[in-house]
Amino acid sequence: MKRTAFFISDGTGITVEALGRSLLGQFEHTEFEYVIKPFIDSVEKADHLVSQINAVAELDGIRPVVIDTIVDVTVRTALKNANAFMLDIFSTFLAPLEEELGSASSYSVGKSHSIKEDDQVYKDRIDSVHFAIDNDDGGRTRHYDTADIILIGPSRSGKTPTCLYMALQFGIRAANYPLTEEDFDYGELPKALRQYKHKLYGLTIDPARLAAIRNERKPDSRYASIRQCDQEVTEAELLYQRFGIPYINTTHFSVEEISTRMMVEAGIERRASPK
């Protein structure tokens, strides 16, 4: 079965998309086509969107699923005119919370992603992103003393996206260092990493998957050959085992799962969390 799902927000849409994908991901026998609609912050925009939703319902022959985090009551009311199954996140949870807390919600748009003048969490995230970029791919190693974690692994095994995700999402100062054939020949940790062994975390990957990724960058090269990829992955895992470095296979995990598992095992706290 195939259904269209609209994720609607009066802000960036980040929250509703995360919640919506998590909810609908539980229904593995239904194929969803996702449509994200951010900044629906007026009745006029809502009315226009209702027309789009109704057109999709007619085209699909079945009503779409609509999940929203709209704060304004008048905008929410306008959306109810759509021929869709409506799941209103805020109205579902705000009323019970108001009753429990004995306090009325401010019903303000964009609270979860707004920036306050003294928002240290936001500053940590931005500083961490700069750190990840400056310390990417072993280009610089002199700031490793201030890193929370240093990812190592063969080229294209997922180090850079994982570092950037941890930085942006959690404010983690993550550096990464690529393991090369020269490192494997010596059988030792690269000199730049030796004093930071306690910060190291290894990545490995299925050689066939690594070859496919590398072929997108350098088709039909030795770098992308299955033989080369198999050799590098094998040597990397032997290095991790030799020096007691924890590692994770990234083949079947998303960057979100890789980051979270890694942080839990390394005992790293999320900085970008409400205080």
Side-chain angles (χ1 to χ4, degrees), residues 155-156 205 207-225 229:
S155 170
R156 312 301 286 181
I205 187 173
R209 174 62 179 153
L210 182 60
I213 294 171
R214 288 183 174 183
N215 261 299
E216 293 178 2
R217 187 178 184 186
K218 294 184 178 180
D220 303 319
S221 63
R222 176 175 176 271
Y223 168 78
S225 69
C229 292

Side-chain angles (χ1 to χ4, degrees), residues 58-208:
E58 185 174 352
L59 181 65
D60 290 352
I62 189 170
R63 62 180 182 168
V65 175
V66 171
I67 302 177
D68 78 83
T69 52
I70 301 292
V71 173
D72 189 283
V73 176
T74 58
V75 177
R76 288 209 311 263
T77 301
L79 282 175
K80 289 179 181 178
N81 293 319
N83 178 21
F85 172 75
M86 310 291 296
L87 188 57
D88 183 349
I89 301 295
F90 274 5
S91 67
T92 301
F93 295 107
L94 280 181
L97 276 171
E98 287 177 330
E99 183 177 349
E100 174 64 25
L101 300 175
S103 176
S105 164
S106 64
Y107 289 90
S108 300
V109 176
K111 280 288 188 180
S112 60
H113 299 289
S114 61
I115 304 171
K116 299 176 183 177
E117 189 174 344
D118 61 345
D119 193 339
Q120 188 59 47
V121 167
Y122 182 78
K123 292 176 182 176
D124 285 343
R125 285 164 55 190
I126 297 304
D127 287 345
S128 296
V129 169
H130 286 309
F131 183 88
I133 293 171
D134 289 342
N135 294 274
D136 181 49
D137 214 25
R140 297 181 183 178
T141 60
R142 64 179 182 275
H143 299 304
Y144 281 5
D145 58 324
T146 61
D148 295 308
I149 191 168
I150 304 169
L151 307 192
I152 61 174
S155 170
R156 312 301 286 181
S157 58
K159 300 184 298 301
T160 296
T162 303
C163 285
L164 288 172
Y165 180 82
M166 286 194 292
L168 186 58
Q169 192 71 14
F170 304 127
I172 302 303
R173 295 169 68 87
N176 77 77
Y177 188 100
L179 295 176
T180 64
E181 286 185 279
E182 186 175 284
D183 298 319
F184 301 139
D185 287 341
Y186 291 124
E188 296 289 338
L189 285 176
K191 185 177 179 181
L193 301 178
R194 290 172 193 169
Q195 63 177 313
Y196 304 112
K197 181 176 168 293
H198 60 291
K199 295 185 179 185
L200 301 183
Y201 206 106
L203 299 187
T204 186
I205 187 173
D206 179 75

Side-chain angles (χ1 to χ4, degrees), residues 35-77:
V35 180
I36 296 91
K37 293 291 183 179
F39 302 114
I40 305 300
D41 51 9
S42 70
V43 172
E44 291 75 20
K45 290 181 181 179
D47 288 340
H48 181 67
L49 183 55
V50 166
S51 298
Q52 294 182 45
I53 294 170
N54 290 344
V56 169
E58 185 174 352
L59 181 65
D60 290 352
I62 189 170
R63 62 180 182 168
V65 175
V66 171
I67 302 177
D68 78 83
T69 52
I70 301 292
V71 173
D72 189 283
V73 176
T74 58
V75 177
R76 288 209 311 263
T77 301

Side-chain angles (χ1 to χ4, degrees), residues 12-30:
T12 63
I14 293 172
T15 299
V16 70
E17 184 180 359
L19 287 169
R21 286 182 182 273
S22 181
L23 288 169
L24 299 183
Q26 303 302 313
F27 299 91
E28 58 187 30
H29 298 299
T30 301

